[in-house]
Amino acid sequence: MGAPPGAPAPLDPASTVRSRAYLSALVLAALLGIPVSAVAYGFLALVSKLQAYLFTDLPNGLFDGTPPAWWPVPWLMLSGLLVALTISRLPGTAGHSPSLGFHAAGGPATGRDLPGIVLAALATLGLGAVLGPEAPLIAIGGGLAALTVRLARRDAPPMAVTVMASAGSFAAISTLLGSPLLGAFLIMEAAGIAGATLSLVALPGLLASGIGALVFVGLDAWTGLGTFSLALTSVPPGVQPTVASLLWSVAVGVVAALLGWGIRWVGLTVRPLVHRSRALVTVALGLLIGLCATAYQVVTGRGFGEVLFSGQSALPGLVANAAGYSIGVLVLLGVLKALAYGLSLAAFRGGPVFPAMFLGAVLGTALSPLPGMELAPAIGTGIGAMCCAMLRLPLTSVLLATLLMGSDGLPGIPQVIVAVVVSFVVTLVLPAPGPKEGPTQGSTQGSTQGSTQGSTHDPAQEVDHSSGRQSPVEGESPRPPRAG
């Protein structure tokens, strides 16, 4: 059947790939991968240095022994103040609110929005809030690439800007998740790219990602600052699946979905309060997050760092020393980390991936003593199910869990798949968390976002009710402010 009159001609990937414009795009993507990945590496290095200085070097120089349990509190309050001021005073919204779910679609950030994204992410990640760097890096990489294309050619077609922005995002997180393929898969599944468009957009992105991975390796060898790639230093030995472990995977999926629902409920319930008085509430949330970390150190004697931050650096130690954690400590760590995670989602800026992975490992470790369950599949199923509950990306969640565990994770793929599927289904069946919108707020777009992102709020905008300022996300038309 032919295309209806007036409809655009179907996309022909073969002719597109052979065109000079597309070949030029591949070359440009490879070239852009170098500076974008270098900027991403510098950003991660700066975050790492900030965390090490503020939470290790500085207190060790001021106090004898371990840092005092109250040490994170003032830094988290300062983080809240800096993030609130950045969102309120600088152009844009410093990136999208992480309480609305993981986003990789939509237009790239504009050049005027990039300073706010960078500063809010530094204040969030460097000062201890429980979010990851992946979302800011995707926004920074895509924004820098789009800005480069627009500066080089002001009349560049929107498709060219989109393709280059995607390539920049690929390069920015090329090795963050341990593999360029994982980062690429995360972006593509979150953006919903499929069909012929998938191949055309993915090729420049994969090329930029590969170049970016080489840049990350080269900068690590040159600077010695670190790889900043998620990797487990010690992995439990893999075991073959059994009927018992498959049945326990169902339970892991259910528990992870319920825990993810609770975390998102905290974030979405607190978020309207943030819009009414952003600075005051965000500082108060920083205080509560710091108190969660303080309580953990006081009760368990372990460092507050296990509750703070994204969990990327703490995850290898948790897996390697799983036998040293009692069930009580794991439960307390899971509860406090989840609470700090939910509060961070409400007002701070960052990504949801790494905290979800850490909580999944905590959940799996706590359930590993169950009869018929072993540590390796328990951790794998926990990570996969928790990532799916928070991201609602089942394919990426399976890959994250299995590839992270390396060759020892391969025998546990069946359990991971079962846990992820159960978590995904239960997450969709549960009611949308957070406050319900009134009849004047419920639009078709809001309902769609609520079903796909688990939110009843419109992610296309951030409204600061304390100032009446509204900043729509790039690519969205302005809308009148709504009540919180």
Side-chain angles (χ1 to χ4, degrees):
M1 179 180 295
L11 185 64
D12 182 7
S15 61
T16 302
V17 170
R18 288 194 297 266
S19 67
R20 175 178 294 182
Y22 190 79
L23 295 177
S24 300
L26 288 176
V27 174
L28 181 58
L31 294 176
L32 283 176
I34 298 174
V36 168
S37 56
V39 169
Y41 183 91
F43 176 83
L44 293 173
L46 181 56
V47 169
S48 177
K49 288 295 183 181
L50 274 175
Q51 293 177 350
Y53 175 75
L54 295 178
F55 293 92
T56 303
D57 299 340
L58 183 58
N60 286 344
L62 296 175
F63 306 99
D64 294 328
T66 59
W70 55 263
W71 183 257
V73 174
W75 297 112
L76 266 300
M77 295 176 68
L78 176 62
S79 173
L81 177 62
L82 294 176
V83 171
L85 291 177
T86 300
I87 296 174
S88 301
R89 304 301 179 188
L90 292 184
T93 60
H96 72 270
S97 173
S99 65
L100 298 169
F102 183 79
H103 296 275
T110 62
R112 66 194 295 269
D113 294 341
L114 287 175
I117 294 173
V118 173
L119 293 176
L122 283 176
T124 294
L125 306 175
L127 299 182
V130 186
L131 290 171
E134 68 284 348
L137 283 179
I138 290 172
I140 293 169
L144 286 176
L147 178 63
T148 302
V149 173
R150 288 169 177 147
L151 290 176
R153 184 180 174 185
R154 295 187 177 275
D155 61 342
M159 186 61 182
V161 176
T162 299
V163 171
M164 289 301 102
S166 298
S169 297
F170 279 47
I173 62 167
S174 56
T175 64
L176 184 63
L177 299 175
S179 167
L181 289 177
L182 265 178
F185 207 92
L186 172 67
I187 294 174
M188 289 186 292
E189 188 179 10
I193 304 174
T197 306
L198 172 62
S199 300
L200 297 178
V201 174
L203 282 180
L206 289 173
L207 181 58
S209 183
I211 298 295
L214 291 176
V215 172
F216 266 69
V217 172
L219 288 175
D220 175 40
W222 180 48
T223 65
L225 294 176
T227 62
F228 309 112
S229 178
L230 180 62
L232 298 181
T233 55
S234 177
V235 180
V239 294
Q240 295 299 320
T242 63
V243 173
S245 64
L246 287 173
L247 292 177
W248 284 124
S249 299
V250 176
V252 172
V254 173
V255 174
L258 295 174
L259 180 58
W261 187 93
I263 293 170
R264 299 199 325 274
W265 181 87
V266 171
L268 292 170
T269 300
V270 175
R271 182 171 176 261
L273 302 178
V274 177
H275 290 166
R276 293 190 176 97
S277 182
R278 184 175 294 277
L280 178 62
V281 175
T282 309
V283 170
L285 294 180
L287 170 63
L288 293 176
I289 296 168
L291 291 177
C292 288
T294 298
Y296 179 73
Q297 180 163 318
V298 169
V299 173
T300 66
R302 295 179 173 271
F304 51 68
E306 294 184 353
V307 172
L308 299 180
F309 313 117
S310 68
Q312 177 184 359
S313 59
L315 182 57
L318 171 68
V319 175
N321 305 303
Y325 289 81
S326 67
I327 298 298
V329 169
L330 289 171
V331 170
L332 182 63
L333 175 58
V335 170
L336 293 177
K337 185 82 171 183
L339 178 58
Y341 184 17
L343 296 175
S344 298
L345 289 173
F348 293 83
R349 289 297 186 260
V353 176
F354 287 108
M357 296 180 72
F358 183 84
L359 276 172
V362 171
L363 174 62
T365 303
L367 298 178
S368 62
L370 292 170
M373 195 60 150
E374 298 290 339
L375 184 59
I379 292 176
T381 55
I383 292 175
M386 200 67 223
C387 285
C388 187
M390 295 305 300
L391 305 178
R392 277 139 293 171
L393 303 175
L395 298 180
T396 299
S397 300
V398 172
L399 285 177
L400 281 171
T402 54
L403 295 184
L404 178 64
M405 301 292 289
S407 59
D408 290 293
L410 296 180
I413 290 179
Q415 295 102 308
V416 173
I417 292 175
V418 170
V420 166
V421 170
V422 172
S423 176
F424 186 72
V425 171
V426 175
T427 298
L428 294 184
V429 169
L430 290 172
K436 307 300 180 184
E437 289 185 334
T440 61
Q441 296 170 321
S443 64
T444 303
Q445 181 179 359
S447 301
T448 303
Q449 292 290 352
S451 62
T452 58
Q453 298 296 343
S455 166
T456 57
H457 296 276
D458 184 0
Q461 60 182 351
E462 284 285 342
V463 182
D464 189 345
H465 291 278
S466 62
S467 63
R469 185 184 66 85
Q470 177 183 359
S471 297
V473 172
E474 176 70 11
E476 297 288 343
S477 58
R479 297 176 177 86
R482 303 182 302 179

